[in-house]
Amino acid sequence: MNPGTKKLAAIVLLIIISLSVILASLVILPSPVKHAITPEPQLVDLTNLSENITRLTRNSGADEDPVWSADGGRIFFESRPDTGVGCYAPECYICAMDADGSNLTMLANGTNPVLSSDKVFFKQVNYSYIDLWVMNTDGSDKKKLTTLNSTLCCSPTLSPDGSKICYYTRYDTGYYWVKWNDDTLTRFDHEPQPGRQDVAIMGGEKHADIWVMDVSGENKTKISSDTDTTWFYPSLEWSPDGKKIMYLQSEVEGLTKIKNFDIWVMDSDGSNKKQLTESPMHEEGEWSPDGKRIAYISFDSDCRVFGERTSHKAKSEIWVMNADGTDKKQLLSIPCNNGLIMDMEWSPDGMKVAFVWQPNRDERKRDIYVIDVPRMDEEMKNEPRN
């Protein structure tokens, strides 16, 4: 073999060896891309978390607003087809099922069922108006009670005896809030024109008055004024004896910070207002049937503030406290990144709470669950000992 041929053979051999080393390293080394795209495990069914949780619905759309019948044997709720958020009557239906989730029955077009005196009260939302209806628990004898202007009246809530309605009227204050991309807030006395690239959310400041009227729409009485409702949609809840009303109130610290979204109570005439919670955010509270306890949903401050979910460590939780705000106990805590808890209702015996779970941020999917509630410390102390 001449020197030129030997040199060429050596070069070819070196190339083959180099390619072999490169290919071997590609086979041996793990793929960083494969690790980067591995999805986080999703939480679809809460029954895997605790034996105290029972799943009742498996609708492909959203089931929400559960309410129990007086005997605890049935649950009435709002069911939406799989068409997304914001669909209202006639696409939404009032349904009923047995307390174990069986014997599902569709009763009427409508939303937000409420049970009182063996009757089902519900809403039909038609553009700018809310029609309030009543029917028997089997869906018969439907009657329209009154019509409210939805641009003025929010969260109409029926008193336990079915004679009164409590509701908000919202109005613009003339101020505006801007939430910047760095999570800071600024309040303006005029409509600002910031650059879009700097703003996360911007909106007008809204306050509300709280009113009570007869179910017929007569005898309207303002019981509270100037409740800040800028950053949340308000809710109202009567106590079982009709003597108190629970509501939400946000606090502003200076002009750059929202401190809390807290639960407050007042007498049904608007007197004796009292703050019950001091946590970053709450969505709703529900009185126990005997009025001695309140179950409520709590979010971490960065769990769902202004429609966002910004922290993987934030939690969506169910808590129970005494009606005066003492003895708070946590029942359930779920990472917000896996979904949100909403729409609670006590069972008539006070032993369970029905709630809605929206898994994995899917706005179109909501199911109804039930969780057991531990007894009060006072009940356990008074229990006879052997």
Side-chain angles (χ1 to χ4, degrees), residues 54-56 68-69 71-76 96-103 347-348 352 354 368-370:
T54 304
R55 184 175 181 176
L56 300 184
W68 297 77
S69 62
D71 61 3
R74 301 273 282 169
I75 295 178
F76 295 76
M97 62 183 170
D98 289 349
D100 62 0
S102 62
N103 295 324
S347 62
K352 297 178 182 293
I368 298 173
Y369 289 79
V370 169

Side-chain angles (χ1 to χ4, degrees), residues 88-90 123-133 144 147-148 150:
Y88 292 100
K123 305 176 192 176
Q124 286 188 349
V125 180
N126 299 294
Y127 301 103
S128 61
Y129 291 93
I130 300 173
D131 294 330
L132 301 183
W133 288 72
K144 187 168 78 169
T147 298
L148 299 174
S150 63

Side-chain angles (χ1 to χ4, degrees), residues 53-239:
I53 299 175
T54 304
R55 184 175 181 176
L56 300 184
T57 66
R58 297 176 183 273
N59 179 20
S60 59
D63 296 326
E64 49 197 329
D65 291 320
V67 292
W68 297 77
S69 62
D71 61 3
R74 301 273 282 169
I75 295 178
F76 295 76
F77 62 99
E78 173 189 328
S79 184
R80 300 171 180 237
D82 190 9
T83 57
V85 172
C87 65
Y88 292 100
E91 291 83 7
C92 299
Y93 303 94
I94 305 300
C95 298
M97 62 183 170
D98 289 349
D100 62 0
S102 62
N103 295 324
L104 177 64
T105 305
M106 187 181 298
L107 302 178
N109 291 333
T111 65
N112 307 101
V114 174
L115 265 67
S116 179
S117 303
D118 295 325
K119 298 286 185 181
V120 181
F121 295 81
F122 61 99
K123 305 176 192 176
Q124 286 188 349
V125 180
N126 299 294
Y127 301 103
S128 61
Y129 291 93
I130 300 173
D131 294 330
L132 301 183
W133 288 72
V134 64
M135 64 181 173
N136 294 330
T137 54
D138 62 359
S140 63
D141 196 22
K142 298 179 180 67
K143 296 178 181 178
K144 187 168 78 169
L145 297 175
T146 188
T147 298
L148 299 174
N149 188 329
S150 63
T151 62
L152 298 177
C153 303
C154 304
S155 303
T157 306
L158 192 71
S159 64
D161 63 3
S163 66
K164 302 283 186 181
I165 295 174
C166 184
Y167 63 96
Y168 280 100
T169 57
R170 301 181 81 190
Y171 56 88
D172 296 320
T173 65
Y175 288 91
Y176 291 83
W177 283 93
V178 172
K179 180 171 185 280
W180 306 98
N181 288 328
D182 62 1
D183 288 334
T184 60
L185 291 162
T186 305
R187 186 178 186 239
F188 294 87
D189 60 3
H190 60 278
E191 185 173 2
Q193 302 293 329
R196 291 186 178 181
Q197 69 275 9
D198 302 321
V199 176
I201 297 174
M202 183 178 76
E205 182 178 86
K206 289 186 178 294
H207 285 195
D209 298 330
I210 303 177
W211 298 72
V212 171
M213 68 177 179
D214 295 341
V215 74
S216 63
E218 300 174 329
N219 298 320
K220 297 178 182 178
T221 305
K222 185 191 297 186
I223 62 171
S224 184
S225 300
D226 206 31
T227 299
D228 186 357
T229 62
T230 302
W231 299 108
F232 62 92
Y233 192 82
S235 65
L236 299 162
E237 293 291 336
W238 294 81
S239 62

